Each structure stands twice: as structure tokens, then as C-alpha cells.
Amino acid sequence: MKIRLLAGLLVLGMAAAGCGGAKVEDTTGKVAAPKGSESAAAPASGGGTVKIAINPWVGYEASANVVAYLLKNELGYTVEMPEIKEQLAWEGFETGDVDVIIENWGHPDLKKQYIDEKKVAQAAGSTGNKGVIGWYIPKWMVDKYPGITDYKNLNKYAGLFKTSESGDKGQLLFGDPSYVSNEDALIKNLKLNLKVVTGGSEAALIKGAQQAQEQKKPLLFYFWDPHWLFSKTELARVNLPAYTEGCDADAKKVACDYAEMDLDKIVSTKFATSGGKAYELVKNFTWTNEDQNAVADDMTNNGMSGEEAAKKWIVANSAKWQAWIPK
């Protein structure tokens, strides 16, 4: 789901933004350790390597960078962060290429395959983030087109969303093909005159939403929360038939909205059994949608690398992350 700002962890000595945007320096001019942390300045050595898969959306990257920063600077681990799509990341548990998926959006099929059947992966608890997928339009359309947020009226307004890619149907703009998706089934089962058009990335969705609101262009698109975009651009969610338990059990028969998900962490069984303090930190990690959005916003809109944005949050939130550090 996201803009690819991550190029790997930067060296700790690089100047980073601190709380309130100011640099945190000691008298030598070097970047100081986060407040309340002694080991960040002189981390333990020989902690081993942790491989955190990076899925393609910036909120995921925000969580991964905060955890990676603490693994490196508090516990002395080396961290590898390969960019891998969701499906392939799960395969990495079996091949040894992945230790951690730091933000999992459901995937009961993959849990069954890799946790229950192959037993090469394990759940590692909630991230604390509440994930919601839905269909959205720019806020200005709500005022101009009465009832447009009711899915029953989408066929009435489908012509507004037509593009060269959607032909004689209205376009439903989608992101990365690897994202969780019920869109084709929803369109078919709700008998909507729409066609899914894949934009290819989180960046395409963000650009489309921003232009749609600023330039008063009609747009119907797939998106999710948590995301920093909601604090920058006025959007409205389309009301699909309410989710009820089991309404999405058969992928081909889905005719209901997405469920709110308690996003969780998945780790390899090997990492869970031999990862030591690194595994404990990953398991203990939990924060809010607001926390994630703050880091993701800095990465996307304030010119910070993943490590810089993570460090800024860590400096400002010592009480939160200290509770994650194994005793």
C-alpha cells in the first residue's frame, strides 16, 4: 500500500529530526540516544540478524522502522528489511528469508497454510492498530450528489466515474495488485456498473484522492485506515452492506463491507523459538493508529527517511517504547 521511501537503515550518526523537528545532539555534535535510553548510544553487540519483510504501504514501513530502530539501537541486532509483497512474505517463513511480518491484514487463508498446516509461522499478537478497508470518494461529491455514499445509488452516478480504462462502466480505482481485495466479488454480487482499474500502488491512490478533492474531479477508490491521508484530505466513505460475521467466508459470494481488523504480527516459528529478546520486542510492540500515522506522515510529507521518522517518534514517546524492551 505505500510510497517507497525506504532504502534501508541509515547509519546512526546521520543527523535526524528530534521531537518538534529539532535535532537532538550531545556536546560532541553526534546524534544523542533517545531520552531515557543508555544502550542506544552503545548497543550490545552480537545480537544476530532479524529479517523484517517490508510490504508496500507506508504505514507498514512506519511500524517496521520503529521496531527496527529499537532492535538495532537498544538490543544490538542487525536488521534486514527486504521489500516483499504480502503473499511472498509469507512464503519467506518457509524459506528462511523472513522472520517478521510486522502488520498483517487478515489473510485467514495464509494463516491456515503457514501456521496451521505447515507450522512454519506463528501469530505474535496485536499491533494495536485497527485496520479498516473501504470505498471512498472526495468529500465535495457528498455535497453535490445526494445519496452518493449509499451503494444503492452508485449505478445512478456510475457515469461520473468513467475513464478511458473503465470503458462504459464507472471506475473503481485500486492500488497494488497484492492488496487484500473483495472488489470484483462486491461489484458482481451487488450488481454495480463498475470496473476495477488497478493504479498499481499506494502512491497512485494518494495522488488520485488529492487531485480529486483539490480539482473537484469525481473519483471512487479503494483505501484504508490507518493512514495519514485522512488528516490532509477530506474524504467520505461509501456505505456498503454492513459486515456481519461470516459474510465474507466465501470469496466469490462476498456482498458486504470489510470488517474492522485488529492488525497483528506474524513471525517464523524459528524466530519465535530462538529469536530471544528480538522476538520478545516484536511480540511486545503495540501502538495506536495515531502513532503510526505520525511516523508515516513524516516519511511521506516531511522529507524524513524511515529511520529519521522512527527516531523522532522514539525521542518523543519514551514511556511507550520502554515498555516493549525485554527486561
Side-chain angles (χ1 to χ4, degrees), residues 125-140:
S126 172
T127 67
N129 296 128
K130 303 303 179 184
V132 179
I133 297 171
W135 294 2
Y136 291 86
I137 58 174
K139 179 64 166 58
W140 69 266

Side-chain angles (χ1 to χ4, degrees), residues 191-204:
K191 297 179 173 56
L192 300 175
N193 189 32
L194 301 173
K195 178 181 178 181
V196 176
V197 174
T198 301
S201 67
E202 175 189 34

Side-chain angles (χ1 to χ4, degrees), residues 20-315:
K23 292 180 180 178
V24 181
E25 298 181 349
D26 61 21
T27 55
T28 67
K30 296 179 180 179
V31 177
K35 185 177 180 181
S37 167
E38 298 301 326
S39 57
S45 60
T49 299
V50 180
K51 302 172 184 177
I52 304 177
I54 299 299
N55 290 168
W57 61 93
V58 75
Y60 184 111
E61 292 181 22
S63 295
N65 272 278
V66 167
V67 171
Y69 190 96
L70 293 172
L71 284 168
K72 180 181 178 181
N73 296 294
E74 288 295 311
L75 300 180
Y77 286 83
T78 297
V79 181
E80 296 179 3
M81 302 172 75
E83 297 182 4
I84 311 176
K85 300 293 179 76
E86 290 175 88
Q87 175 76 41
L88 294 177
W90 284 78
E91 294 176 10
F93 292 139
E94 191 169 21
T95 62
D97 294 326
V98 173
D99 295 317
V100 180
I101 290 175
I102 202 64
E103 180 178 287
N104 170 57
W105 285 69
H107 294 296
D109 55 334
L110 295 177
K111 285 186 173 181
K112 179 180 178 182
Q113 181 179 359
Y114 291 97
I115 296 178
D116 299 336
E117 296 174 356
K118 294 188 175 183
K119 302 186 186 304
V120 295
Q122 297 183 18
S126 172
T127 67
N129 296 128
K130 303 303 179 184
V132 179
I133 297 171
W135 294 2
Y136 291 86
I137 58 174
K139 179 64 166 58
W140 69 266
M141 296 191 75
V142 177
D143 302 323
K144 187 169 182 179
Y145 301 104
I148 196 170
T149 56
D150 184 339
Y151 83 94
K152 295 177 182 177
N153 294 324
L154 284 179
N155 283 344
K156 174 182 176 182
Y157 294 113
L160 296 171
F161 304 115
K162 286 183 181 179
T163 66
S164 58
E165 291 86 357
S166 66
D168 61 352
K169 299 179 181 295
Q171 173 184 272
L172 172 60
L173 185 64
F174 194 70
D176 190 297
S178 70
Y179 293 170
V180 173
S181 175
N182 294 332
E183 276 51 57
D184 287 328
L186 283 166
I187 289 171
K188 178 182 178 180
N189 296 326
L190 296 177
K191 297 179 173 56
L192 300 175
N193 189 32
L194 301 173
K195 178 181 178 181
V196 176
V197 174
T198 301
S201 67
E202 175 189 34
L205 294 174
I206 293 171
K207 182 178 180 180
Q210 291 174 328
Q211 289 182 343
Q213 179 64 7
E214 293 168 4
Q215 301 174 18
K216 299 296 187 289
K217 292 182 177 180
L219 181 69
L220 174 64
F221 66 108
Y222 166 107
F223 212 62
W224 61 91
D225 188 32
H227 204 286
W228 60 263
L229 183 64
F230 291 100
S231 66
K232 307 285 186 179
T233 303
E234 288 189 294
L235 304 172
R237 187 175 177 182
V238 173
N239 297 312
L240 297 173
Y243 174 85
T244 57
E245 188 69 31
C247 70
D248 57 353
D250 187 335
K252 294 181 179 180
K253 296 181 180 179
V254 175
C256 60
D257 212 340
Y258 289 89
E260 178 180 294
M261 286 179 272
D262 184 13
L263 305 184
D264 60 352
K265 299 155 290 188
I266 310 296
V267 299
S268 72
T269 298
K270 180 179 179 180
F271 182 67
T273 55
S274 63
K277 289 187 176 182
Y279 168 68
E280 291 183 53
L281 173 58
V282 170
K283 189 174 181 179
N284 292 342
F285 166 70
T286 179
W287 64 350
T288 66
N289 285 14
E290 291 73 22
D291 290 325
Q292 186 186 91
N293 289 340
V295 177
D297 185 31
D298 279 337
M299 292 173 63
T300 307
N301 301 310
N302 296 329
M304 293 187 187
S305 68
E307 186 179 31
E308 289 169 333
K311 182 179 178 63
K312 176 182 174 182
W313 185 90
I314 287 166
V315 168

